[in-house]
Amino acid sequence: MLILAAASASVGVAAGPVPGDPTEILPLWPALPPGAPATLPPERFIERATAGQPHDRYAEQIARPTITVFRPQRPNGNAVLLVPGGGYHLVVTDKEGYETARWLNARGITAFVLRYRLPGGGWAHRADVPLQDAQRAIRLVRAHAAGFQINPERVAVMGFSAGGHVAASLAVRHAASVYEPVDAADRLSARPDVAALLYPVISMGEHAHPGSRDELLGKAPAAADVAAYSPDRTVGAGTPPTILVHAVDDDVVPVENSLAMFGALRAAHIPAELHVFEKGGHGFGLRLPQTNSAARWPDLFLAFAQTHGFIG
């Protein structure tokens, strides 16, 4: 388990566990992650909320990727791997990770918050590093399904913003060979049974989020890489049922990203839903006022997941 500095109420200072944080944190890899540089990046954990506000922590320069386990009091067999965003230069912890995990727990769903490596840490094959961790996380969850009291055939992925790109990449490239197997878990499928993409980064070309694209592919990516790492261009028959949520007024990741992904899913005859809301901006997680219609997205996800094999 990682030992972190004590939490602080000041903005931009070292942050660590706070009361109520889960203590079950599992490393993804038994040794060094694939493609590790000679010197691992120095991990940092930062609190950016002001005193009296909800926690808003993030991690950067991640060297040891993990999944944080949230167990419900009465597990119903469903599981969701949560992939927070952060523009591929950090991974947020609370808003799109821990808060969503607790909401899922209250409904009997076991949640796993993924802290994935970032492309700029000196890793080999930088563009595949987040997908390596996402594939490995799904496989580990399935490998330990009995201990987690989940059904290995009811494991969803939910990604936000750049984490939505990780989740979408997992949905379309779950069978891609992006790392050498390290143990028996890697014989298991990395295909999520359902995918939920919240204001996701999809395109690496037109309508791309420039920061995410630059972090993942560099500032002058080849046309072949733009195509290969735009999930809407690689949807196939094995892509799982997918629900997308986006706001029209998102001024960070344009709604065209979700529109393109939905069009590709529809063309490939993959079961899909698209929910586009007038207002919501970007990065709202569960923090929208209930008067905003986009605040209904978690229930829309549950209904969609139940349609595709999750139990209520």
Side-chain angles (χ1 to χ4, degrees):
M1 185 180 302
L2 295 169
I3 305 300
L4 307 177
S8 169
S10 301
V11 178
V13 300
V18 300
D21 279 357
T23 58
E24 191 175 1
I25 303 175
L26 307 180
L28 290 186
W29 306 96
L32 288 176
T39 302
L40 292 176
E43 294 186 340
R44 295 205 315 153
F45 301 85
I46 304 298
E47 171 70 89
R48 57 186 177 185
T50 56
Q53 297 298 312
H55 285 290
D56 190 9
R57 292 166 289 177
Y58 67 86
E60 61 183 8
Q61 302 191 74
I62 295 161
R64 303 282 186 176
T66 62
I67 48 175
T68 300
V69 184
F70 285 76
R71 295 176 181 261
Q73 289 186 347
R74 296 181 178 84
N76 60 17
N78 302 322
V80 176
L81 177 70
L82 294 167
V83 192
Y88 276 136
H89 69 277
L90 54 87
V91 177
V92 301
T93 299
D94 294 289
K95 183 167 61 171
E96 295 167 348
Y98 288 11
E99 292 176 12
T100 310
R102 293 186 180 102
W103 188 93
L104 293 166
N105 277 180
R107 287 145 187 87
I109 300 171
T110 305
F112 304 85
V113 179
L114 176 63
R115 188 170 70 239
Y116 52 95
R117 288 170 295 148
L118 301 165
W123 309 95
H125 309 294
R126 61 183 285 169
D128 285 331
V129 162
L131 179 59
Q132 290 172 352
D133 289 347
Q135 285 187 358
R136 176 69 177 172
I138 287 279
R139 288 169 172 146
L140 281 182
V141 167
R142 288 198 165 114
H144 299 285
F148 293 134
Q149 296 180 269
I150 64 169
N151 184 332
E153 297 181 358
R154 293 207 304 265
V155 180
V157 66
M158 179 183 291
F160 303 79
S161 192
H165 185 267
V166 178
S169 299
L170 181 67
V172 301
R173 298 181 63 209
H174 50 84
S177 179
V178 292
Y179 67 88
E180 292 296 324
V182 297
D183 56 27
D186 289 324
R187 292 197 291 266
L188 301 175
S189 172
R191 179 185 182 271
D193 297 296
V194 172
L197 309 179
L198 282 294
Y199 36 88
V201 172
I202 296 294
S203 176
M204 292 288 116
E206 187 179 9
H207 304 301
H209 175 243
S212 296
R213 179 184 58 203
D214 291 353
E215 292 288 342
L216 192 71
L217 300 179
K219 292 187 179 297
D225 287 339
V226 168
Y229 291 92
S230 296
D232 61 307
R233 302 200 196 180
T234 52
V235 171
T239 302
T242 301
I243 181 171
L244 298 114
V245 175
H246 223 119
V248 174
D249 66 346
D250 189 330
D251 61 357
V252 177
V253 178
V255 70
E256 283 79 6
N257 283 263
S258 283
L259 298 177
M261 188 67 180
F262 180 72
L265 292 162
R266 188 166 179 265
H269 306 290
I270 303 299
E273 283 187 7
L274 170 64
H275 298 275
V276 176
F277 297 95
E278 179 186 7
K279 302 289 184 181
H282 186 76
F284 44 79
L286 297 176
R287 296 187 180 184
L288 288 172
Q290 290 304 302
T291 53
N292 188 317
S293 58
R296 301 184 354 240
W297 74 261
D299 291 323
L300 296 172
F301 160 72
L302 282 186
F304 182 80
Q306 288 167 14
T307 299
H308 295 285
F310 276 49
I311 61 174

